[in-house]
Coordinates of all heavy atoms in Angstrom, one line a residue:
S1 N 20.2 -4.2 11.0 CA 19.2 -3.7 10.0 C 17.8 -3.8 10.8 O 17.5 -4.9 11.2 CB 19.2 -4.6 8.7 OG 18.1 -4.2 7.9
T2 N 17.1 -2.7 10.7 CA 15.8 -2.7 11.4 C 14.6 -2.7 10.4 O 13.6 -2.4 10.8 CB 15.7 -1.4 12.2 OG1 15.9 -0.3 11.4 CG2 16.8 -1.4 13.3
D3 N 15.0 -3.2 9.2 CA 13.9 -3.1 8.2 C 12.8 -4.1 8.5 O 13.0 -5.3 8.9 CB 14.5 -3.6 6.8 CG 15.5 -2.7 6.3 OD1 15.5 -1.5 6.7 OD2 16.4 -3.0 5.5
G4 N 11.6 -3.6 8.5 CA 10.5 -4.4 8.8 C 10.1 -4.7 10.3 O 9.0 -5.2 10.6
L5 N 11.0 -4.3 11.2 CA 10.7 -4.5 12.6 C 9.6 -3.6 13.1 O 8.8 -4.1 13.9 CB 12.1 -4.3 13.4 CG 12.0 -4.7 14.8 CD1 11.6 -6.2 15.0 CD2 13.3 -4.4 15.5
S6 N 9.6 -2.4 12.7 CA 8.6 -1.5 13.1 C 7.2 -1.9 12.7 O 6.3 -1.9 13.5 CB 8.8 -0.1 12.5 OG 7.8 0.8 12.9
E7 N 7.1 -2.5 11.5 CA 5.8 -3.0 11.0 C 5.4 -4.2 11.8 O 4.2 -4.5 12.1 CB 5.9 -3.3 9.5 CG 6.0 -2.0 8.6 CD 7.4 -1.6 8.5 OE1 8.3 -2.3 8.9 OE2 7.5 -0.3 8.1
A8 N 6.4 -5.1 12.1 CA 6.1 -6.3 12.9 C 5.6 -6.0 14.3 O 4.7 -6.6 14.8 CB 7.3 -7.2 12.9
V9 N 6.2 -5.0 15.0 CA 5.8 -4.6 16.3 C 4.4 -4.0 16.2 O 3.6 -4.2 17.0 CB 6.9 -3.7 16.9 CG1 6.3 -3.1 18.2 CG2 8.2 -4.4 17.2
H10 N 4.2 -3.1 15.2 CA 2.9 -2.5 15.0 C 1.8 -3.6 14.8 O 0.7 -3.5 15.4 CB 3.0 -1.5 13.8 CG 1.7 -0.7 13.7 ND1 0.6 -1.2 13.0 CD2 1.5 0.6 13.9 CE1 -0.3 -0.2 13.1 NE2 0.2 0.9 13.6
A11 N 2.1 -4.5 14.0 CA 1.1 -5.6 13.8 C 0.8 -6.4 15.0 O -0.3 -6.8 15.3 CB 1.6 -6.5 12.7
A12 N 1.9 -6.7 15.8 CA 1.7 -7.4 17.0 C 0.8 -6.7 18.1 O 0.0 -7.2 18.7 CB 3.1 -7.8 17.7
I13 N 1.1 -5.4 18.2 CA 0.4 -4.6 19.2 C -1.1 -4.4 18.7 O -2.0 -4.5 19.5 CB 1.0 -3.2 19.3 CG1 2.4 -3.4 20.1 CG2 0.1 -2.2 20.0 CD1 3.2 -2.1 20.2
S14 N -1.2 -4.2 17.3 CA -2.6 -4.1 16.8 C -3.4 -5.4 17.0 O -4.6 -5.4 17.3 CB -2.5 -3.7 15.3 OG -1.9 -2.5 15.2
H15 N -2.8 -6.5 16.8 CA -3.4 -7.8 17.0 C -3.8 -8.0 18.4 O -4.9 -8.4 18.7 CB -2.5 -9.0 16.6 CG -3.1 -10.2 16.8 ND1 -4.1 -10.8 16.0 CD2 -2.8 -11.3 17.7 CE1 -4.5 -12.0 16.5 NE2 -3.6 -12.3 17.5
R16 N -3.0 -7.6 19.4 CA -3.3 -7.7 20.8 C -4.5 -6.7 21.1 O -5.4 -7.1 22.0 CB -2.1 -7.4 21.7 CG -2.3 -7.7 23.1 CD -2.6 -9.1 23.5 NE -1.7 -10.0 23.1 CZ -0.6 -10.6 23.7 NH1 -0.5 -10.1 24.9 NH2 0.2 -11.4 23.2
L17 N -4.5 -5.5 20.6 CA -5.5 -4.6 20.8 C -6.9 -5.1 20.3 O -7.9 -4.9 20.9 CB -5.2 -3.2 20.1 CG -4.3 -2.3 20.8 CD1 -3.8 -1.2 20.0 CD2 -4.9 -1.9 22.2
A18 N -6.8 -5.8 19.2 CA -8.0 -6.5 18.7 C -8.5 -7.5 19.6 O -9.7 -7.7 19.8 CB -7.8 -7.0 17.2
Q19 N -7.6 -8.2 20.2 CA -8.0 -9.2 21.2 C -8.6 -8.6 22.5 O -9.6 -9.1 23.0 CB -6.9 -10.1 21.6 CG -6.4 -11.0 20.5 CD -5.1 -11.8 20.9 OE1 -4.4 -11.4 21.8 NE2 -4.8 -13.0 20.2
I20 N -8.0 -7.5 22.9 CA -8.5 -6.9 24.1 C -9.8 -6.1 23.9 O -10.7 -6.1 24.8 CB -7.4 -5.8 24.7 CG1 -6.2 -6.5 25.0 CG2 -8.0 -5.0 25.8 CD1 -5.0 -5.6 25.4
A21 N -10.0 -5.6 22.7 CA -11.2 -4.8 22.3 C -11.5 -3.6 23.2 O -12.5 -3.6 23.9 CB -12.4 -5.8 22.2
P22 N -10.7 -2.6 23.2 CA -10.9 -1.4 24.0 C -12.1 -0.7 23.3 O -12.4 -0.9 22.2 CB -9.6 -0.5 23.9 CG -8.9 -1.0 22.6 CD -9.4 -2.5 22.4
A23 N -12.8 0.1 24.1 CA -13.9 0.9 23.7 C -13.6 1.8 22.5 O -14.3 2.0 21.6 CB -14.6 1.7 24.8
T24 N -12.4 2.6 22.6 CA -12.0 3.3 21.6 C -10.6 2.8 21.1 O -9.7 2.6 21.9 CB -11.8 4.8 22.0 OG1 -10.9 4.8 23.1 CG2 -13.1 5.4 22.4
D25 N -10.4 2.6 19.8 CA -9.2 2.0 19.3 C -8.2 3.1 19.3 O -8.3 4.1 18.5 CB -9.4 1.4 17.9 CG -10.3 0.2 17.9 OD1 -10.2 -0.6 18.9 OD2 -11.0 -0.1 16.9
P26 N -7.0 2.8 20.0 CA -6.0 3.9 20.0 C -5.1 3.8 18.8 O -5.0 2.7 18.2 CB -5.2 3.5 21.3 CG -5.4 2.1 21.5 CD -6.8 1.8 20.9
A27 N -4.4 4.9 18.4 CA -3.6 4.9 17.3 C -2.2 4.3 17.9 O -1.8 4.5 19.0 CB -3.3 6.3 16.8
V28 N -1.6 3.5 17.0 CA -0.4 2.8 17.5 C 0.8 3.5 16.7 O 0.9 3.7 15.5 CB -0.3 1.4 17.1 CG1 0.9 0.6 17.5 CG2 -1.6 0.6 17.8
K29 N 1.9 3.9 17.5 CA 3.1 4.5 17.0 C 4.2 3.8 17.6 O 4.3 3.5 18.8 CB 3.1 6.0 17.5 CG 4.3 6.8 16.9 CD 4.2 8.2 17.5 CE 5.3 9.0 17.1 NZ 5.4 10.4 17.7
V30 N 5.1 3.4 16.6 CA 6.4 2.6 17.0 C 7.6 3.3 16.5 O 7.7 3.7 15.4 CB 6.2 1.2 16.4 CG1 7.5 0.3 16.7 CG2 5.0 0.4 16.8
K31 N 8.6 3.4 17.4 CA 9.9 3.9 17.1 C 10.9 2.8 17.4 O 10.8 2.1 18.4 CB 10.2 5.1 17.9 CG 9.5 6.3 17.5 CD 10.0 7.5 18.3 CE 9.3 8.8 17.9 NZ 9.7 9.9 18.7
V32 N 11.8 2.5 16.5 CA 12.8 1.4 16.7 C 14.1 2.1 16.8 O 14.5 3.0 16.1 CB 12.8 0.5 15.5 CG1 13.9 -0.6 15.6 CG2 11.4 -0.1 15.3

């Protein structure tokens, strides 16, 4: 069951992007 895994990966990548702080925030797309 892959329920919630996409959201968890999206949240982890978004959190790391917030730590890196790129000049333009990229859109995050996750496929499981």
Side-chain angles (χ1 to χ4, degrees):
S1 173
T2 61
D3 296 337
L5 188 59
S6 176
E7 291 81 15
V9 171
H10 188 282
I13 292 174
S14 297
H15 178 70
R16 186 62 56 94
L17 280 170
Q19 291 175 338
I20 296 171
T24 57
D25 290 326
V28 179
K29 182 179 175 185
V30 178
K31 288 185 180 179
V32 177

